[in-house]
Amino acid sequence: MAEPLIAGKGKVDLVIGGINAESHANLTFSDPYVVTGKAVMTLNDGKIGELSQLANCAAGFVGPAVDHALAATHLPESCHLSAFASYAEGRKALRDGTIRALYGDELLLMPQQLENKEDFRLLISGLTRETHSIGMPLGHNGVLALLNRVIADFNCEQYGACSPEKPDEPHLEPMPPVSLADYFANDSLPGPRKLIDGEGIRRIRRRGHLKVGIHADAHWNLPFLPGGWR
């Protein structure tokens, strides 16, 4: 769970990678940076072609207790479910034949950097629709505002998901790409680039760097977090 890491004066300032507001209480969350969903993965050996073939088979899941309930709902009722601490452990059990299927987040089941990815296949995906966000302690509104701005710019540049200008607002000159480093390095810029003050940001600036906790199973790149940040 992410709460012990960032609650109060925890080990990190924020946590990213496979977390959302539904699975972690008592945290503040940014706007979503990715949309994913639950899926079922099997070995790519042609032996399992549909969910019904998993009846009376052993299957695994990764995640909190709520994911056990979801797995029990989406898999055949006769499946024997086992919990795994990480997706790597679940995939190893799948390779070893301990389980026949692994239930979990689609992006974490089959990350882009997964070695020998062709050994696996998603039997079914899109079982749920979930949004992943960045979690941080309650009350850190300054950090939250900055993260939402960076996420909006990232989604616009990478995916073309840009928020349309409101007709009653004055036209603003386009601004260059931004990152969290831009904000923390210089707060003297006017307008939208001005740093939003707050105790969370003041503590981060006194320390000199932002502590980011990355979920152990988050293997995809996070380009909106600049390299070298801890």
Side-chain angles (χ1 to χ4, degrees), residues 1 33 45-46 50 64 101 116 132 195 204:
M1 298 296 284
Y33 63 87
D45 55 9
E50 55 186 36
N116 301 315
H132 287 186
L195 185 66
I204 291 166

Side-chain angles (χ1 to χ4, degrees), residues 111-124:
Q112 293 181 353
Q113 294 87 348
L114 179 63
E115 294 183 1
N116 301 315
K117 191 174 181 178
E118 65 278 1
D119 293 345
F120 302 100
R121 68 182 287 258
L122 292 181
L123 179 65
I124 187 170

